[in-house]
Amino acid sequence: MNLTASDVKIFVPAKDFQESLTFYSALGWQTNFVADDGSLAVLELGDSRFYLQNYYNKEWADNFMLHITVEDAAAWYQHASNVIANGSYKNACINKPKEEPYGALVTFVWDPCGVLLHFAQPLGDE
């Protein structure tokens, strides 16, 4: 019996699929696949991937979070601020980097449907 797993991907909600796809692309995610019916896309950043799905539930989206480990949370703040300022992402917003008690400097970004992205830079000897 072989129980080896080679990957884990999560399903991220999108209220307006095209707006979310454009937002993640502007942030730097590469689109690897989009279903012909527009129901699903595979997005990749570094070696990590997720499914963006054309499905939305407010309670779920408002409680959905992605933790992205980065080398420079302040650089992500600048980059994401520019993306949000230069785009037409109705509900996307950002908070300045903040040091969190678990030992990371984190830039919080909300995507157009309310998904919270944690761009987390580990601090110290982690």
Side-chain angles (χ1 to χ4, degrees):
M1 185 169 33
N2 183 349
L3 302 178
T4 303
S6 62
D7 195 8
V8 174
K9 293 182 192 77
I10 57 169
F11 286 79
V12 176
K15 186 174 186 178
D16 178 325
F17 183 76
Q18 191 57 51
E19 179 184 26
S20 288
L21 190 59
T22 302
F23 178 76
Y24 283 103
S25 178
L27 282 178
W29 266 269
Q30 176 182 323
T31 303
N32 291 342
F33 168 81
V34 178
D36 290 338
D37 65 358
S39 63
L40 189 71
V42 177
L43 301 178
E44 180 174 5
L45 183 66
D47 291 331
S48 299
R49 290 163 307 284
F50 69 84
Y51 291 109
L52 181 67
Q53 62 180 331
N54 192 4
Y55 174 79
Y56 176 76
N57 174 284
K58 180 173 176 34
E59 291 76 24
W60 179 46
D62 286 349
N63 287 288
F64 198 95
M65 295 180 258
L66 293 174
H67 185 276
I68 303 117
T69 303
V70 298
E71 292 184 15
D72 189 342
W76 273 99
Y77 173 75
Q78 289 300 322
H79 174 61
S81 293
N82 290 336
V83 166
I84 291 168
N86 294 326
S88 57
Y89 311 109
K90 298 178 281 261
N91 298 311
C93 59
I94 189 168
N95 281 356
K96 290 183 179 180
K98 176 184 173 193
E99 191 169 329
E100 293 294 323
Y102 64 88
L105 182 65
V106 182
T107 294
F108 296 101
V109 177
W110 287 264
D111 85 353
C113 84
V115 170
L116 177 57
L117 311 175
H118 295 229
F119 290 97
Q121 174 187 340
L123 302 173
D125 299 328
E126 295 180 40

